[in-house]
Amino acid sequence: MPVTRRAALRLLAAPVGLAAIGPASLGLTVGRSRASAKLKVLVAGGHPDDPESGCGGTMARYADAGHDVVALYLTRGEAGIDGTSHEDAARIRTAESERACRILGARPLFFGQIDGDSHVDRDAYAAMRALLEREKPDVIFTHWPVDTHPDHRAVSLLVYDAWMRMGRKVPLAYFEVLTGEQTEVFRPTDYVDISAVARRKHDACFAHASQKPEEWYPWHERMGRFRGMEHGCEAAEAFVRHDAGPELALP
């Protein structure tokens, strides 16, 4: 079949990788023979609402395909509600995370650091490695490390160190949040079409009512439309894939 000019331009514009995929293949780590295997997908963010806003559509697609999805939160968002104690804010935001994860079909997991007081040191590195060794994910997503928020940088570095020391045996990809305000110099290598699950991503983010998502989620909607334009669909999430890890097996 001849390739039309429009199709050729789309092929030139869109990076290969997670593009136009079903999540069943997105995180495959050991070759095409496991294309139908059940995967464990771990998405690590700094606070409640970070995995959902940066990767929520991809999480929903994985879950819908029958895979295990874990949302790992570095903190419980203790400093995230003005005029509220850390204890009460943690309780509120933990419950919001649980609601958001139910919407996406994911399981929440909390690392135990404190919002606004995160740290990257020998003990934290060891704890993250122990967690990943326990969870045994087949694919990992986390924040792009060039970010204005220290908690985002912290979880990114902790996850990267654990992944590296565990032998880089699974794919690692970075997501973006509030690009321009938080994520910086982000140049996607891969995309996931989230058009069919965009409403679920919206609802998961709005489960974090204490964070006033009506003020920041419209920016993520614009990001999704822009990444969709890059990828040739209605809405997409974009990623930077670490090329030192295994190849992603695509359909």
Side-chain angles (χ1 to χ4, degrees), residues 1-12:
M1 293 288 291
V3 178
T4 66
R5 180 176 179 274
R6 176 175 294 180
L9 289 172
R10 284 181 60 185
L11 287 170
L12 288 171

PDB file of all heavy atoms in Angstrom, residues 1-12:
ATOM      1  N   MET A   1       0.843  -1.190   0.000  1.00  0.00           N
ATOM      2  CA  MET A   1       0.000   0.000   0.000  1.00  0.00           C
ATOM      3  C   MET A   1       0.882   1.245   0.000  1.00  0.00           C
ATOM      4  O   MET A   1       1.836   1.349   0.761  1.00  0.00           O
ATOM      5  CB  MET A   1      -0.877   0.029   1.269  1.00  0.00           C
ATOM      6  CG  MET A   1      -1.920  -1.070   1.309  1.00  0.00           C
ATOM      7  SD  MET A   1      -3.240  -0.768   0.116  1.00  0.00           S
ATOM      8  CE  MET A   1      -4.028   0.643   0.863  1.00  0.00           C
ATOM      9  N   PRO A   2       0.607   2.244  -0.871  1.00  0.00           N
ATOM     10  CA  PRO A   2       1.406   3.474  -0.876  1.00  0.00           C
ATOM     11  C   PRO A   2       1.187   4.257   0.402  1.00  0.00           C
ATOM     12  O   PRO A   2       0.111   4.238   0.998  1.00  0.00           O
ATOM     13  CB  PRO A   2       0.864   4.220  -2.100  1.00  0.00           C
ATOM     14  CG  PRO A   2      -0.524   3.706  -2.279  1.00  0.00           C
ATOM     15  CD  PRO A   2      -0.471   2.269  -1.883  1.00  0.00           C
ATOM     16  N   VAL A   3       2.212   4.957   0.853  1.00  0.00           N
ATOM     17  CA  VAL A   3       2.130   5.791   2.046  1.00  0.00           C
ATOM     18  C   VAL A   3       1.756   7.199   1.621  1.00  0.00           C
ATOM     19  O   VAL A   3       2.423   7.797   0.773  1.00  0.00           O
ATOM     20  CB  VAL A   3       3.478   5.805   2.797  1.00  0.00           C
ATOM     21  CG1 VAL A   3       3.375   6.719   4.012  1.00  0.00           C
ATOM     22  CG2 VAL A   3       3.857   4.393   3.235  1.00  0.00           C
ATOM     23  N   THR A   4       0.671   7.734   2.194  1.00  0.00           N
ATOM     24  CA  THR A   4       0.254   9.086   1.842  1.00  0.00           C
ATOM     25  C   THR A   4       1.203  10.104   2.439  1.00  0.00           C
ATOM     26  O   THR A   4       1.954   9.822   3.367  1.00  0.00           O
ATOM     27  CB  THR A   4      -1.162   9.362   2.357  1.00  0.00           C
ATOM     28  OG1 THR A   4      -1.135   9.366   3.790  1.00  0.00           O
ATOM     29  CG2 THR A   4      -2.154   8.312   1.876  1.00  0.00           C
ATOM     30  N   ARG A   5       1.151  11.318   1.915  1.00  0.00           N
ATOM     31  CA  ARG A   5       2.007  12.389   2.442  1.00  0.00           C
ATOM     32  C   ARG A   5       1.693  12.648   3.919  1.00  0.00           C
ATOM     33  O   ARG A   5       2.603  12.820   4.739  1.00  0.00           O
ATOM     34  CB  ARG A   5       1.791  13.656   1.622  1.00  0.00           C
ATOM     35  CG  ARG A   5       2.637  14.847   2.089  1.00  0.00           C
ATOM     36  CD  ARG A   5       2.430  16.022   1.146  1.00  0.00           C
ATOM     37  NE  ARG A   5       3.212  17.175   1.578  1.00  0.00           N
ATOM     38  CZ  ARG A   5       2.790  18.062   2.468  1.00  0.00           C
ATOM     39  NH1 ARG A   5       1.585  17.917   3.016  1.00  0.00           N
ATOM     40  NH2 ARG A   5       3.556  19.085   2.828  1.00  0.00           N
ATOM     41  N   ARG A   6       0.404  12.650   4.269  1.00  0.00           N
ATOM     42  CA  ARG A   6       0.033  12.900   5.655  1.00  0.00           C
ATOM     43  C   ARG A   6       0.576  11.806   6.569  1.00  0.00           C
ATOM     44  O   ARG A   6       1.105  12.081   7.648  1.00  0.00           O
ATOM     45  CB  ARG A   6      -1.484  12.983   5.790  1.00  0.00           C
ATOM     46  CG  ARG A   6      -1.961  13.158   7.227  1.00  0.00           C
ATOM     47  CD  ARG A   6      -3.455  13.364   7.311  1.00  0.00           C
ATOM     48  NE  ARG A   6      -3.864  14.613   6.694  1.00  0.00           N
ATOM     49  CZ  ARG A   6      -5.128  15.036   6.632  1.00  0.00           C
ATOM     50  NH1 ARG A   6      -6.086  14.293   7.161  1.00  0.00           N
ATOM     51  NH2 ARG A   6      -5.428  16.175   6.052  1.00  0.00           N
ATOM     52  N   ALA A   7       0.451  10.533   6.132  1.00  0.00           N
ATOM     53  CA  ALA A   7       0.968   9.438   6.953  1.00  0.00           C
ATOM     54  C   ALA A   7       2.465   9.525   7.102  1.00  0.00           C
ATOM     55  O   ALA A   7       3.014   9.257   8.172  1.00  0.00           O
ATOM     56  CB  ALA A   7       0.577   8.098   6.329  1.00  0.00           C
ATOM     57  N   ALA A   8       3.154   9.914   6.031  1.00  0.00           N
ATOM     58  CA  ALA A   8       4.611  10.030   6.101  1.00  0.00           C
ATOM     59  C   ALA A   8       5.026  11.107   7.089  1.00  0.00           C
ATOM     60  O   ALA A   8       5.969  10.932   7.864  1.00  0.00           O
ATOM     61  CB  ALA A   8       5.177  10.335   4.718  1.00  0.00           C
ATOM     62  N   LEU A   9       4.309  12.230   7.083  1.00  0.00           N
ATOM     63  CA  LEU A   9       4.630  13.290   8.020  1.00  0.00           C
ATOM     64  C   LEU A   9       4.399  12.854   9.455  1.00  0.00           C
ATOM     65  O   LEU A   9       5.175  13.189  10.351  1.00  0.00           O
ATOM     66  CB  LEU A   9       3.792  14.530   7.707  1.00  0.00           C
ATOM     67  CG  LEU A   9       4.176  15.280   6.431  1.00  0.00           C
ATOM     68  CD1 LEU A   9       3.160  16.373   6.130  1.00  0.00           C
ATOM     69  CD2 LEU A   9       5.572  15.874   6.557  1.00  0.00           C
ATOM     70  N   ARG A  10       3.338  12.075   9.674  1.00  0.00           N
ATOM     71  CA  ARG A  10       3.083  11.598  11.028  1.00  0.00           C
ATOM     72  C   ARG A  10       4.182  10.648  11.487  1.00  0.00           C
ATOM     73  O   ARG A  10       4.601  10.669  12.645  1.00  0.00           O
ATOM     74  CB  ARG A  10       1.721  10.907  11.109  1.00  0.00           C
ATOM     75  CG  ARG A  10       0.549  11.866  11.129  1.00  0.00           C
ATOM     76  CD  ARG A  10      -0.760  11.142  11.241  1.00  0.00           C
ATOM     77  NE  ARG A  10      -0.823  10.351  12.468  1.00  0.00           N
ATOM     78  CZ  ARG A  10      -1.841   9.547  12.758  1.00  0.00           C
ATOM     79  NH1 ARG A  10      -2.851   9.414  11.921  1.00  0.00           N
ATOM     80  NH2 ARG A  10      -1.842   8.864  13.868  1.00  0.00           N
ATOM     81  N   LEU A  11       4.648   9.810  10.590  1.00  0.00           N
ATOM     82  CA  LEU A  11       5.725   8.893  10.954  1.00  0.00           C
ATOM     83  C   LEU A  11       6.993   9.647  11.295  1.00  0.00           C
ATOM     84  O   LEU A  11       7.731   9.277  12.212  1.00  0.00           O
ATOM     85  CB  LEU A  11       5.996   7.918   9.802  1.00  0.00           C
ATOM     86  CG  LEU A  11       4.931   6.830   9.582  1.00  0.00           C
ATOM     87  CD1 LEU A  11       5.204   6.099   8.279  1.00  0.00           C
ATOM     88  CD2 LEU A  11       4.906   5.859  10.751  1.00  0.00           C
ATOM     89  N   LEU A  12       7.248  10.720  10.568  1.00  0.00           N
ATOM     90  CA  LEU A  12       8.444  11.517  10.845  1.00  0.00           C
ATOM     91  C   LEU A  12       8.314  12.270  12.163  1.00  0.00           C
ATOM     92  O   LEU A  12       9.291  12.463  12.882  1.00  0.00           O
ATOM     93  CB  LEU A  12       8.679  12.515   9.710  1.00  0.00           C
ATOM     94  CG  LEU A  12       9.175  11.921   8.393  1.00  0.00           C
ATOM     95  CD1 LEU A  12       9.154  12.978   7.310  1.00  0.00           C
ATOM     96  CD2 LEU A  12      10.586  11.366   8.553  1.00  0.00           C
TER      97      LEU A  12
END
